Amino acid sequence: MRFFRRPVEGRSGDRPQTWRSAPQRLLGLLLLSALYLPATTLFVTISGKGGEPDYEQRFKMLATDIESSLKKAGGDTEVITLVDATREQIRARLAELARRTKPTDALVVTLIGHGAYDGVDYKFNVTGPDITGGELANLLDHIPATRQLVVNTTSSSGGSIAALRKSNRIVVCATRTGTEKNATVFARYWAEALRDPAADTDHNDDVSALEAFRFAQRKTGEFFETQKRLATEHSVLEDTGKGDGERNPGAENGEGRLASSFALVRLGANAAAARDPDKRPLLDKKDELEQAIDRLKYQKASIPAEQYKQQLTALLLELAKVQEALDK
């Protein structure tokens, strides 16, 4: 969405168009961010078939680890965990969410287990018939939640991007392509990102989807280096609805804007504020302002420098006021 237009010559008698004022742009950014602010975040964590005892135990532990972190984080959330799920259980639960979620809600679906890719279709390995990436995408498309995040930590998960990508949906995959078929370690570090304060790199007491991705990606790389092994997985993120996933999402490639403003868990003071009904409105306002700042940064290249400075300053001042009120 553009809030500014360059001056153009109008028809005879028309006044030339001018850049909109700083207050107008600030209002536009805040209105836009309000559209993305979820009322409830629904977390659905699904572990698939392990195939052997070690994997069965690992996948179950990862799912319960994520569940524990999400429940401790507080806020207006609903946490659903399906362990060793079947295709029909997944279909039934997602269909149930489609009936009761609202457009203002947010949805996070995390897949843990083994995946497969035959060059055409990605499949999530579950007990009984597997479920395909296309089938998962169709189920998610029917859920009204406007903002969605899919975290596919399985082997061959990169093969699911083409089916899952969509406007306002963030897709994180443990592998770059469907041909990276080894069991992954990315899931371990994604789970760790949800409980380790080190993942909060901007120190705002929230771990965003982008921060969790970068944390898990870095930890995965360190694992292979420490083990002196050739890396068999390369995680990617896609949130434009049209890309193939980026190893290094940022303003230069357009990826990561949605992920940077998608708060997964709250830490420290924010977690305490989320449990305090009197402070929840302030916390929501803080989220709104931080999302507006993130969007403004991604639009920097298309905005005159002075206008960008004015808007950023206004947002930062307002954010400081909200933070001061939260700290009282």
Side-chain angles (χ1 to χ4, degrees), residues 12-241:
S12 177
D14 289 346
R15 296 180 62 183
Q17 298 173 357
T18 58
W19 293 101
R20 297 184 186 179
S21 67
Q24 285 177 309
R25 181 171 175 79
L26 177 58
L27 176 61
L29 282 166
L30 293 177
L31 288 174
L32 178 62
S33 64
L35 295 175
Y36 290 110
L37 192 62
T40 300
T41 301
L42 300 104
F43 293 93
V44 183
T45 303
I46 308 169
S47 69
K49 186 175 180 60
E52 56 185 77
D54 285 349
Y55 283 120
E56 298 281 0
Q57 184 66 15
R58 181 190 305 181
F59 297 160
K60 178 180 179 180
M61 288 179 63
L62 285 169
T64 55
D65 184 6
I66 289 173
E67 177 184 54
S68 176
S69 296
L70 295 174
K71 288 183 175 179
K72 289 177 181 177
D76 193 357
T77 62
E78 179 178 343
V79 180
I80 300 165
T81 305
L82 303 177
V83 175
D84 193 13
T86 66
R87 176 174 175 267
E88 289 310 312
Q89 286 173 335
I90 296 170
R91 288 176 56 84
R93 182 48 66 104
L94 294 182
E96 185 262 333
L97 291 180
R99 292 191 292 270
R100 65 182 177 85
T101 56
K102 307 180 296 296
T104 51
D105 292 333
L107 174 70
V108 180
V109 175
T110 303
L111 306 179
I112 300 169
H114 297 306
Y117 182 69
D118 62 7
V120 179
D121 294 320
Y122 164 84
K123 292 182 179 180
F124 178 42
N125 299 159
V126 296
T127 298
D130 293 337
I131 187 166
T132 68
E135 190 172 4
L136 283 167
N138 183 56
L139 290 165
L140 296 175
D141 288 348
H142 284 83
I143 296 177
T146 303
R147 300 182 72 212
Q148 298 186 6
L149 165 64
V150 181
V151 186
N152 189 345
T153 70
T154 74
S155 49
S156 298
S157 51
S160 68
I161 293 176
L164 291 171
R165 65 190 175 195
K166 182 184 179 182
S167 178
N168 285 332
R169 179 182 294 155
I170 306 158
V171 181
V172 169
C173 290
T175 75
R176 180 167 45 199
T177 66
T179 58
E180 293 185 321
K181 299 180 179 181
N182 289 32
T184 69
V185 298
F186 182 84
R188 178 196 313 179
Y189 299 116
W190 179 269
E192 188 176 325
L194 302 182
R195 53 180 162 75
D196 190 339
D200 178 25
T201 53
D202 62 4
H203 307 293
N204 70 342
D205 283 341
D206 284 337
V207 176
S208 70
L210 183 60
E211 287 175 320
F213 169 76
R214 287 175 171 161
F215 177 93
Q217 183 183 66
R218 176 174 58 82
K219 288 282 192 174
T220 299
E222 291 173 354
F223 168 84
F224 284 103
E225 289 176 6
T226 301
Q227 297 295 314
K228 300 187 184 303
R229 292 164 50 185
L230 182 67
T232 56
E233 61 189 90
H234 301 83
S235 53
V236 294
L237 183 149
E238 204 298 304
D239 66 355
T240 65

